[in-house]
Structure formats: C-alpha cells, structure tokens
Amino acid sequence: MCPIAVVICAYSDERREQLGAAIGSVLNQRLRPERVVVVIDHNERLLRAIRASFPEVGAVANEGTQGLSGARNTGVRACASTDVIAFLDDDAVAEPDWLERLASHYADPAVVGVGGGVLPIWQSDRPSWFPEECQWVVGCSYRVSPWDCGPFAIPSVATCLSVDRYSKSSVAFAKVWAEVARTRLAARKRSYVFACTGIIPIR
C-alpha cells in the first residue's frame, strides 16, 4: 500500500482533549502513517503543549493566513515528500483501519482522493427528536449520503488527498477546497472514491 502522511489542524485550547484523542487514533492505525503533522493555527500556548505531550509527531505553526486553508497548506508543505496526505479534524477519532481502507484505493491511477463516512459521537444519548437526515448540521454524514464504495460527485466528507495527482497541479488549498476536504467527529469504515475530471487553477 502507498505511504500516507496525516495532517491534523487545530486552533482551540478548549478542544485539547479531543485533539489528543485524534492524535492517538492516528498513532494507533493498523497501517502506520509515514508521518503525522499537527498544525496549530496561531496559538503558541497550544503549540507548546502538543510538542510536550506528543514528541513523536511533528507539531508546527501555521505559516499562512489564519484559518483552515492556511493551516492545511502548511501541513501539505510539511509533508512534501509524501504523495498521499490524509486530513483529520481535531475533534475526530479515526477507526483503526481508516488509513488502511483509504490507501487501498490508490492502486487505481484515476483516483485523486478518497473519503469516508462521518458519524457523530454523542456526549450522551442521541436526541430522540434529531433525525439522521439532519446530521449534516453537525458536520456528519446523513441518511442520503452515499454509503457504497465508488465514484461520487461532491466529496463533502473527503478525508484523503493525493498530493502527487492533485495538489501539485493546483498549488494550494482554496477556501472552498478546505471546506470540501474536512471530516468531523468520527471516521466510519466505508470509503468513497472520487476521480479528477479537470483541474481548476487556484490563483
């Protein structure tokens, strides 16, 4: 399987516990990542804390504009030697076979990105009045999302990106791509695949 680097972007001290869980879930993958980079978005105190708590990962400061796009571009540059980069939100927990399942699809040269379903982790019981159709409100997959593995048009839950096949052509994350490529709360086992039908230049 192809080597994968993982980038986690974070900015909030209030989510430090969730960030620790996200990092732990990546370090415990069955397919070990080639590199784990945690990009801290303009929060020096959080950067120092992560460096002290997780010396085995690369904790770096966002070198770009404050926000997710700048942080992810910083992460891509930090993983320049790796063709495939997976992104995980700081409040997400990846299942142990997350990277293994994502990596398996890159045998097809037409695949430029792979994503997976996202399930909520409720702090208490799921509200009885909250339907699955509305899980998009909390950034998760919902009832009409595609659950079968195969090509899809809108990668709203994409969690993995092939730098060699896509990002080097388009140079950097645009704000819209940063939103498209996010994952939140918990990664589900199933994967989605999307193929590149054209490159939109980012200016």
Side-chain angles (χ1 to χ4, degrees), residues 8-170:
I8 302 172
C9 300
Y11 69 94
S12 174
D13 288 293
E14 296 177 356
R15 295 216 296 241
R16 191 180 300 181
E17 182 177 346
Q18 290 96 320
L19 175 57
I23 295 171
S25 73
V26 171
L27 295 176
N28 290 318
Q29 289 293 298
R30 290 204 292 236
L31 175 64
R32 293 187 63 84
E34 185 171 273
R35 187 174 186 195
V36 180
V37 174
V38 179
V39 183
I40 303 301
D41 192 12
H42 298 272
N43 185 333
E44 188 63 32
R45 183 172 64 178
L46 181 58
L47 178 61
R48 290 195 301 268
I50 296 305
R51 283 175 173 169
S53 300
F54 298 96
E56 65 269 57
V57 308
V60 299
N62 178 8
E63 299 171 347
T65 304
Q66 186 170 5
L68 186 57
S69 295
R72 283 191 165 158
N73 284 327
T74 297
V76 168
R77 287 191 291 271
C79 301
S81 62
T82 307
D83 286 345
V84 178
I85 299 174
F87 295 92
L88 188 70
D89 277 4
D90 61 341
D91 59 352
V93 176
E95 294 188 4
D97 60 353
W98 175 59
L99 288 182
E100 189 175 52
R101 287 177 174 264
L102 294 176
S104 66
H105 298 287
Y106 281 95
D108 182 348
V111 172
V112 297
V114 182
V118 185
L119 298 177
I121 301 174
W122 302 101
Q123 292 181 339
S124 57
D125 293 338
R126 179 191 183 91
S128 59
W129 51 266
F130 190 78
E132 291 184 15
E133 289 84 354
C134 293
Q135 287 185 173
W136 60 270
V137 174
V138 291
C140 292
S141 303
Y142 47 100
R143 186 180 293 274
V144 298
S145 299
W147 288 106
D148 295 327
C149 184
F152 63 102
I154 304 174
S156 60
V157 292
T159 60
C160 197
L161 173 70
S162 172
V163 174
D164 183 56
R165 299 177 191 172
Y166 185 88
S167 286
K168 289 178 183 176
S169 300
S170 56

